[in-house]
Amino acid sequence: MNRDRIRALLEQVKSGEIESEDALEALARLPFSDIEDARVDTHRALRAGIPEVIYAPGKTPEQIVDIVAVLRGAQQDVLVTRVESDVASRVLGAASGGAYDALGRTLWFGPAEVPIVGRGRIAVISAGTADLPVATEAASVARRLGNEIDLLTDVGVAGIHRLLAEGDLLRSARVLIVVAGMEGALPSVVGGMVDKPVIAVPTSVGYGAAFGGIAALLGMLTSCASNVTVVNIDNGFGAAYVATLINRL
Amino acid sequence: MNRDRIRALLEQVKSGEIESEDALEALARLPFSDIEDARVDTHRALRAGIPEVIYAPGKTPEQIVDIVAVLRGAQQDVLVTRVESDVASRVLGAASGGAYDALGRTLWFGPAEVPIVGRGRIAVISAGTADLPVATEAASVARRLGNEIDLLTDVGVAGIHRLLAEGDLLRSARVLIVVAGMEGALPSVVGGMVDKPVIAVPTSVGYGAAFGGIAALLGMLTSCASNVTVVNIDNGFGAAYVATLINRL
Amino acid sequence: MNRDRIRALLEQVKSGEIESEDALEALARLPFSDIEDARVDTHRALRAGIPEVIYAPGKTPEQIVDIVAVLRGAQQDVLVTRVESDVASRVLGAASGGAYDALGRTLWFGPAEVPIVGRGRIAVISAGTADLPVATEAASVARRLGNEIDLLTDVGVAGIHRLLAEGDLLRSARVLIVVAGMEGALPSVVGGMVDKPVIAVPTSVGYGAAFGGIAALLGMLTSCASNVTVVNIDNGFGAAYVATLINRL
Amino acid sequence: MNRDRIRALLEQVKSGEIESEDALEALARLPFSDIEDARVDTHRALRAGIPEVIYAPGKTPEQIVDIVAVLRGAQQDVLVTRVESDVASRVLGAASGGAYDALGRTLWFGPAEVPIVGRGRIAVISAGTADLPVATEAASVARRLGNEIDLLTDVGVAGIHRLLAEGDLLRSARVLIVVAGMEGALPSVVGGMVDKPVIAVPTSVGYGAAFGGIAALLGMLTSCASNVTVVNIDNGFGAAYVATLINRL
Amino acid sequence: MNRDRIRALLEQVKSGEIESEDALEALARLPFSDIEDARVDTHRALRAGIPEVIYAPGKTPEQIVDIVAVLRGAQQDVLVTRVESDVASRVLGAASGGAYDALGRTLWFGPAEVPIVGRGRIAVISAGTADLPVATEAASVARRLGNEIDLLTDVGVAGIHRLLAEGDLLRSARVLIVVAGMEGALPSVVGGMVDKPVIAVPTSVGYGAAFGGIAALLGMLTSCASNVTVVNIDNGFGAAYVATLINRL
Amino acid sequence: MNRDRIRALLEQVKSGEIESEDALEALARLPFSDIEDARVDTHRALRAGIPEVIYAPGKTPEQIVDIVAVLRGAQQDVLVTRVESDVASRVLGAASGGAYDALGRTLWFGPAEVPIVGRGRIAVISAGTADLPVATEAASVARRLGNEIDLLTDVGVAGIHRLLAEGDLLRSARVLIVVAGMEGALPSVVGGMVDKPVIAVPTSVGYGAAFGGIAALLGMLTSCASNVTVVNIDNGFGAAYVATLINRL
Amino acid sequence: MNRDRIRALLEQVKSGEIESEDALEALARLPFSDIEDARVDTHRALRAGIPEVIYAPGKTPEQIVDIVAVLRGAQQDVLVTRVESDVASRVLGAASGGAYDALGRTLWFGPAEVPIVGRGRIAVISAGTADLPVATEAASVARRLGNEIDLLTDVGVAGIHRLLAEGDLLRSARVLIVVAGMEGALPSVVGGMVDKPVIAVPTSVGYGAAFGGIAALLGMLTSCASNVTVVNIDNGFGAAYVATLINRL
Amino acid sequence: MNRDRIRALLEQVKSGEIESEDALEALARLPFSDIEDARVDTHRALRAGIPEVIYAPGKTPEQIVDIVAVLRGAQQDVLVTRVESDVASRVLGAASGGAYDALGRTLWFGPAEVPIVGRGRIAVISAGTADLPVATEAASVARRLGNEIDLLTDVGVAGIHRLLAEGDLLRSARVLIVVAGMEGALPSVVGGMVDKPVIAVPTSVGYGAAFGGIAALLGMLTSCASNVTVVNIDNGFGAAYVATLINRL
C-alpha cells in the first residue's frame, strides 16, 4: 500500500464514500504499508498498545515527514527519537502538531497529556550533568508511553549521601532506569537499595578510558547487584520501552 | 531468616512473650552474621523475599559449607550457583539436605517443591545444545525462586520454523529469558514475536569470532527489538533473578 | 579493452590485416597502462570478463578522471564505487557519458542497459532504512555486472513475518546478498530459509555497542547458518562482485 | 517423535506391517524429531540434498551416539565435525559403520565412496603445516558432500614461486577454499590469480599478534582481491559447505 | 660481584678478618651484585629504606633461593610476592627463616614483628570473597613494610549500608587501598567518603564482560571521585608499596 | 563556602550574634544548593579544604556561569577545568573576576596568589611538546590548590641525559606527576630515580598504535617501577588533585 | 641557551669577535638549547650525522618557525614531517629557504641536492594509490637523509605479476621499505623475494575491518617472512630513518 | 623428490656411483623437496647463505625428525626454534648430532662452533629475568647464524644507572636487539643512546594490563626513538634473523 492508496482512502473518508470504521479496518488489516524507503508497520501499535516509535538517525527529514504522515493518517500517535534540533525544525515545518523536547531530542505527535496506563511509577536516575540528554530521553519517552515518572539527577556515587537521601523515592518506584557514564557504578548502588528491576543505561559521556561508553557498559554488565539488566550505550529509549512493558504487567 | 521468622518474632513482642529489648537485640544482630571470610547478609531475604543466593566460583567447598550453615541456622533457604560437580560432592558431604542439578550447576537447600509466588509464567528459550547449561541454570533458579517455567530448547534462528511453531508458548509468558551463543540473534526474533520484556543471556558458547561470548553480547545489546535487555555472558542466574522480580510485580 | 577487442585483433592477424608482430606489440603493451599515480590494469576485464572497477576514496577527482580516460580509451566499461556526490559532480563535469547513482554512490561509464549474462537472479535483502546505501551499492553493482536483481528492503528480524512473507522471492534466487547493521542477525534467518549461498554484508549502521559494524560483523561470522560467508563492513561492492562470479558459473 | 516412535516405525517396516515408502513418507513429513537434548532436523538433508552435519564440541559422546542413531535410522548419511580422537573412539565403539579422519577430525557414517554430484573441482589451498587440520577438515567435508577435491598445501606467500607453479591447478577449480593463519595473506594472492569465488578460512595458528586468528581474519576481510569472502576462524566445515552449494549451481 | 665474592666477604667477617662495618660499607658500595640470572640491586633498600621485594612468577624456586641468599647475606630483609604454595614449599626447604602467607601468597624473610615506621594507618578494603587474595597481598605487604593496617572485607557497593557503617574506620586512615573486581565501583564510593588518597586495585575476579579485570580497571580509571589513582590488575603489592611511600611522608 | 566562613558562622553563634537555629538553618541549606541542572555541593570544600572544581565538557557556558555564581555567592573559590577558549570567553563575559590559562585550559575564580599550604614541592614532568596542555593543566591545578610547583618539560626517555641532568630537581619533590603520550615510558624511568610517589598521566598524544592514549596507559599500568600509580588518559586535573592530598599529609 | 644567546653568538661570529671554529665548538658543546616550548637537541645531528627532524603535529606554526630558526642558526639542515599544507604555507612565509613536498607532507630546509652517503639503494614499495602519501614521505625523507631511492608504486598482491616483473629492482636494493594498508600482505611477498632487511609500514588506508591500520599492522607483525620488521602505522619517516641507518653500515 | 629419492642419491654418492659435486648439483637444482607434510625448501639456504630454520610448534616430533633428516641429507645445517624440552628429547633420540639450548628452546644440527661471518657485533639486551628465554633465543639464533654476540640482561629502565653503565657495550654494537615485556620501555631508552638500528622484541611477560605482550608491543611501536623497529611478541628468532641480515651488509 503506497501513499496514493492511503491518500485515496483518507479522501474517501473525508468525502463520506466510506465509513471511518471501514477505513480503520482497512488500515488495521494492513500488515505493513509500503512507502518509498520504509515499510511502516501500522500493526505494532495495535499489537503492543503503544505509539509507533521512529529512530531518526540515518533518515532524512523528508523520510521522517513521510512516515509521520502515514502513521498520523492511520490515527496513530508517533514518537520520533534522536532528533537533532535542525532536523526537528525541518520536520515541524512540514508536519503539523508536533512537540519537540530539545534536551531529550524527542519529537512527539499526539495528545499533549498522555493518559497514565502504567500501574506504578518509573524512577529515572542519572549521575552527572552530562548524562542529562540520555536521562531526559528515557523520562520523556516513558512519559509519552503512559507512565508516571520521577526524575532524579546529579546523584553520583562519589557523593553517596545525595543518593541515600532519596531512598524513599527509589523504593517507591515499580521499575527504575539508571543512567550513568564514566565508570557506570550508579546502577550497582541503586540496585542494592531496592528490590525492583533496575534497567541500566550506559552513556558515552566521559573521556580517555571511558572509551565512548565501554567502561560504563562493562561495569553495568558485571554489576554485583543481581537486579540489574543493561541496554545499549545511550539507549534511553530502549530502557523506557522495557520499563513501560514491565510497568503494564 | 525469612519474613515469617521476623513476623513471629514481632508477634512474640506483641503478645509479651519476649521483651522488646530482646527482640531488638535479635534483630540488630541480623544485618549480617560475621563468619570468617564473608559477611553473610541474612537481611537480603527479608528485603527481597527470596532465598539467599551464593555464587560458588572463588570460594572453597569449606567456605560454601560455612555460609550455608550460617544461613540454614537462620532458617533461610539457600541456592548456590555455578557449582562444579566435584565441589558439589564435597559440599553435599558436609552439609545435609541439599539437592544438586548437575546440568544447571545449582545446589539447593530448601523445600523440594517451592510454592509458586510468581504471577505468570517465565519462558526460558535457548538456541543450541551447548547453551543448555546456562538455560538450565536460568530455569532452575527461576523455579527455586517460586516461578512456573516453560523451557524451550534447540530453537535457533537458522531453523526459524521451529521457533514460529512455538508462538503460543512464547506469547503466554509474562517474562521471557532468551539464551544464545554464537551470533546471539535469537532474542531479536523472539522480541519481535511478543510484547513482553525479554531478558537476553549471551553465552560463551562458540569459537573463533564468537570471542567467548562477545559476539552474542554485542548482538543482543544492539538488538533491533526494543523489548530486549541484556545481562552478563553466561549469567543465567541474573536473568532468572530479574525475571522473578518482574513476575512478582 | 574487452575480449571482443582482443578477438578482433586476433581476427585481424588471422586475416592478414595486421602483422603478428604488430599484434604482439599491441598485446604486450596491454598488461597495464602507466598513468601518473596508478597502473591501470586493462587485462583484468579480459581475464574476468567484467568491467574495470575503481574504488574512489583516497583518489582525487582528477585521478579518477585520468583513470576513466585511460580505460575508456581502451574501449572498457568502467564502474566507480563510493563516489560522494561532490566528487561525482566534478568527475561527470570532466568525463562525459557517466551515470551517477546517488544512493548507492556509484558512477557508471558504459551502456545504459547492460546485457544479462548471469544465469539466475541475485536477491539483495536489507534490514533497515539506514542500510539502504550499502544495499543499493550491492544491487547497483550487481546490475552493472550483468545480473538480474531482486531488491528487498526493510525486512528486519524483529518483524519476522515480513521476511517470511517473501519466502518465494528468497527461494527463487541463485545467490543472496544480505545487508544488515546493528546485531546483523538477518543473514542467519535468511540462510536458514534457503539452500543457496548467502553473502553477508555487515554495515556500520548503529550506535554504541554496534561499534561501527563490529557487532554485525561478528554476528555474521559466527552465524549458525552454514551457508553464510562474509565480506568487509559496508562492502556492498565486494558482495556483488562475488555474487556475480557465482552467478556466472 | 521420540526414539521409541522411530524404532517402532522401523520395526513395522521390518515386519512388513507398513511399506517402506509409507515409512519414508512418515519420516519425511516429520518437521523434527524430539530426542532428549536436541531436536534433530531430518528435513534438512531432504531440503538441501546433503547429509546431516553435527558439530561435536559441547556434546557428550552419548549425545552424539543418540543423534547418529536417529539419523541413521532415518537412512541418512551423517557427518560429525570437530571430533577429538578420544570422543571418536567412544562414538565408534557405540555406533557401528563410522570412519574417522584423525587429521581433519571428522567422523563419517555413510558410503565409503560418495558419488560426485558437484559440477567442477574444489581446490583447497593452505599455507603452513600447522594449517593442515583446518585444510583437511575442509577437504574431507567437501569430499563427503560429493565434490572432487584438489588439496594443495604448504604454499605460503613468502615463497611465492611455489604458489605460482600451481597456477593451472588453481585456474582449473570452480571454487577455491584458501586456509591460512598468521597474516592470512594467501587468499589475496590466490584471489588475484583466478576469476572464481575464493572462500577464505582464517586459522588460529600463530602466536603473539596473531591473536588466535584475528590477524588472519582482519587480513582476509580487508583483502584487496574482490573475489574473496570469509568464514569464521578455523571454520573449515563452513567453507566446504558453501563451496559445495556453489559447486552444485 | 658474584656469590663467591659475597661468600668470601661474609667468611672474612666471620673470621674477624674484616670488621662488620667495613663489610657493610663494601656491600653498600656495590651498585649491584651479579648472580647467574639477575642483577640483585642491594642498593634499593638503602635508597628507599624498605626491604627488597622479589616478584616470583617467571623465576624458578632455585633462582629465588639464590637471590634470597645473596640478600640475606647482605643483612637485608626480603619479601617475595606471588609465590604459589608448591614454590613456597621448595623455597622454604632450601632457605631457612621464611614465613609464608598462603592467602596473600607472600614469603617473608625478616623479623616476625616489623617495627611500625608509617605515620598513620593504611586501610585495605575489598568487595568480595574472591578479592581476598589480592587484598591480603596488599595488607600483608604493607604490614611487612612497616605500616599499621586495617583490613575491611566483603563491603561491596550493592550492600552500601555495610560500607557506610565503617565510615569512622575509613576516615581514620591516612591512605586507603581499595580492591575490587567485577565492575570495580567500590573505589568511587570510598573515594567520595574520605579526603585522603585512594589507591584502587582492579582484580581479575569475575566472568564474562569482566574480561579478566578490564571492566574493573576501566571503571577505576574513569572514577568520578577525584582522589583515586589506579595500579595494574591484581597488583596488591604495588598498591601497598605506594601507600607505604605516602604513609612515610 | 570555605572553612573560614563556617568558622565565622560558628563564632557568631558562640558570641550570640546569631541564634543557633538560624546558624543551623544556614548550615542545613549547605549540603547542596539546587540549581537547574546540577546540585552544587558547597560542602566538599569544607570537607576537603580545597576549592570547588567544575569539569566543563558537556556543560553549556550558561550552566557554568550559573554554577560559578552559586559557589561564588557562597564565598567559595572555583576552578573550572577543560575550558576551551570560546567557552572561556563566554563565561568570562558573564562572570567577573576569572582568570583563564589558555594552555592548561583552566578558569580560576579566586585570589590571584593562592597561599601555599602543601608541605613540599610537586614536580610536574612531561615528555614532549604535545603533552604540554595536560602537563600545564596539572601544574596549574596544583598551584591553585596551594602547592609549590616545579615544571620540567621536554625530557623524553629517548634523550635520557636530559632527564638525568635534572636528578636534583626530581629528588627534591615530595610527589611527582609524570605526563607522557606515545609509549608512556617516562614514569618508569622517573620512578626508578626517586623514592617518592609518582602519579602517571597518559596522554592521548600520538598516532597509529598510540590508539588515543591506550599505549601510554598500558605502559604506565605495567610499569616496572613500583612507586607508580596511574590516572585516566589526559587527566592532568586528577593527578594534581591526588598530589595535593598527598602533599598535605 | 636561549635564542638571545645564540643570536649573540652568531653576531660575534659575524663581527669577528670569535672565530667560526670556536662558535661551532660552543654550539657543539651545548647539550640542548632552551627555547620557549621545546629543548632543541643540536647534538643529535652531530651524533647521528643526519639532519634534525621535527614532527609537526601538536606544534603551532610559530613553534615550528622558532625551532627551525634555532637549528638553521646552528648551521643545521632541518626536516619537518607531517606538515599539512596550510601549516606549510605559514611556516614558509616566516622561515625562508624551505621546500615543501605536498604529497609526502615534508618541509625541507637544506641544500636542494643532498649528497649521497648511503652505501646502496633503498627501495620504497607501496600497494595502492591511497598509500602514496606514506610511501612518498618515506621516499622523501630517505632522499633528504642522503640515500638513493627507487620508488615502486601500485604493486598490490592481488596482481602479483606486477610485483614479480620488478624482481630485479627489488633484489638490487640494500634495504626495502614496504608500505601497505588494508590486509598489509605486501611485505610478506616482497620479503620472500629478497634476502635483505624489509621494513614494513602499515597505513591507515582502508575501511571497516581495516580498523585504521590495525589489520595491516597485525598482518605485518605476523608475517611468515623472517626478514620483516615493523614500524608504527603511517610512520613513513621512521622507516626511512632506520633504513638510512642500515644503509650507512 | 621424496625421501627415497634423496636416500638413493646419497647411496649413490656413498657407493661412488655419482660424484659428490653432481649430487650437490642435483640437490641444489631442486626447487623444493616433497615430504609427507611439508615442502622443504632446500634453496633458501643457498639463496640467503644461512641455515634452514624450522619453527617447531604445530609440528610433531616425527615431522621435525623427518624434515631434519632431509635437510641434513642435503648437507645443510638446521636450526629448530621453540622446541619444548620433551619434544627436544624425542627429536634428539631419533636424529643424531643435535645440541639443545634449554633456556632459548633451540635445537641445533651443525658445527659446534659456527664461523663468524657477520661484520660487527650484535648486542642483545633484556630487561627482566622473565624475558631471558626470548633474549636467549635471540642470542642463540644470532650466534648460530654466524654473529658475535654481547648478551646484557636485567637492565630495566626503572634502574637506569645499570643501563648507562653499559654505554660502551651498547655503542660498540652494529645492530641491537632489545627484549622487554611489561611496559616495553627499554628500546626507547637504548634507542636514544645509540645511532644504530634497534630491533625491539616485546615479550608476553607480565600480567594484568600487560595483556600477554600487547602493552609492550604498543609501547615499542610508538617509541619516541626513531631508530626502533619491532617484531612480533616473543619473536626472538625474527629479531636475530633480521639482525643477521643487517650485520652481513
Side-chain angles (χ1 to χ4, degrees), chain F residues 21 33 41 43 49 64 68 102 152 161 176 181 190 202 206-207 246:
Chain F
E21 277 310 297
S33 311
D41 187 347
H43 256 198
I64 296 172
V68 167
L152 182 61
H161 59 286
L176 300 97
V190 171
Y207 65 92
I246 294 173

Side-chain angles (χ1 to χ4, degrees), chain H residues 130-193:
Chain H
D131 298 322
L132 272 181
V134 176
T136 304
E137 182 187 72
S140 179
V141 169
R143 183 64 195 82
R144 296 305 191 190
L145 300 190
N147 300 283
E148 283 187 298
I149 300 299
D150 286 311
L151 180 60
L152 183 60
T153 62
D154 204 28
V155 287
V157 296
I160 199 73
H161 57 286
R162 300 186 191 181
L163 186 65
L164 297 176
E166 304 284 2
D168 288 347
L169 185 150
L170 299 180
R171 276 183 292 272
S172 70
R174 202 156 184 258
V175 198
L176 300 96
I177 294 171
V178 184
V179 177
M182 300 299 282
E183 84 265 59
L186 194 57
S188 293
V189 178
V190 172
M193 293 172 69

Side-chain angles (χ1 to χ4, degrees), chain B residues 17 35 61 89 142 147 154 166 171 195 226:
Chain B
E17 276 179 81
I35 61 167
S89 302
N147 301 283
D154 205 28
E166 303 284 1
R171 276 182 294 270
D195 54 2
S226 302

Side-chain angles (χ1 to χ4, degrees), chain C residues 108-176:
Chain C
W108 170 247
F109 293 88
E113 202 62 23
V114 178
I116 299 298
V117 295
R119 298 179 49 197
R121 305 182 70 82
I122 295 176
V124 179
I125 303 128
S126 77
T129 309
D131 298 322
L132 273 180
V134 175
T136 305
E137 182 188 72
S140 178
V141 168
R143 183 64 196 80
R144 296 304 192 191
L145 300 190
N147 301 283
E148 283 188 297
I149 300 299
D150 285 311
L151 180 60
L152 183 60
T153 62
D154 205 28
V155 288
V157 295
I160 199 74
H161 58 285
R162 300 185 189 181
L163 185 65
L164 298 176
E166 304 284 1
D168 289 346
L169 185 149
L170 298 181
R171 277 183 292 272
S172 70
R174 200 154 183 262
V175 197
L176 300 96

Side-chain angles (χ1 to χ4, degrees), chain A residues 198-236:
Chain A
V198 172
I199 302 169
V201 189
T203 72
S204 55
V205 165
Y207 66 93
F211 293 133
I214 293 181
L217 173 63
L218 297 186
M220 291 170 177
L221 284 168
T222 58
S223 174
C224 51
S226 302
N227 50 350
V228 174
T229 60
V230 187
V231 295
N232 196 3
I233 297 165
D234 290 335
N235 190 8

Side-chain angles (χ1 to χ4, degrees), chain E residues 41-86:
Chain E
D41 186 348
T42 55
H43 257 197
R44 188 184 292 175
L46 292 187
R47 276 191 283 121
I50 56 178
E52 190 66 25
V53 183
I54 298 166
Y55 177 72
K59 298 197 180 68
T60 63
E62 289 67 36
Q63 289 175 316
I64 295 172
V65 168
D66 280 358
I67 299 174
V68 167
V70 171
L71 290 164
R72 292 303 280 163
Q75 267 80 40
Q76 278 203 232
D77 296 341
V78 185
L79 184 62
V80 196
T81 63
R82 303 281 178 92
V83 191
E84 298 306 325
S85 59
D86 56 332

Side-chain angles (χ1 to χ4, degrees), chain H residues 18-95:
Chain H
I18 66 169
E19 294 296 311
S20 286
E21 277 309 298
D22 295 346
L24 187 66
E25 182 62 38
L27 286 165
R29 273 206 323 273
L30 295 174
F32 33 74
S33 311
D34 277 302
I35 63 170
E36 201 160 336
D37 293 314
R39 303 190 173 192
V40 176
D41 187 346
T42 54
H43 256 197
R44 189 183 293 175
L46 293 186
R47 277 191 282 122
I50 57 180
E52 190 66 27
V53 182
I54 299 166
Y55 177 71
K59 300 198 179 66
T60 62
E62 289 68 34
Q63 289 175 318
I64 295 172
V65 168
D66 280 0
I67 300 174
V68 167
V70 171
L71 290 164
R72 294 302 281 164
Q75 268 80 39
Q76 278 203 234
D77 296 340
V78 185
L79 183 62
V80 196
T81 63
R82 303 278 178 95
V83 191
E84 298 306 326
S85 59
D86 57 332
V87 173
S89 301
R90 295 178 60 186
V91 173
L92 288 173

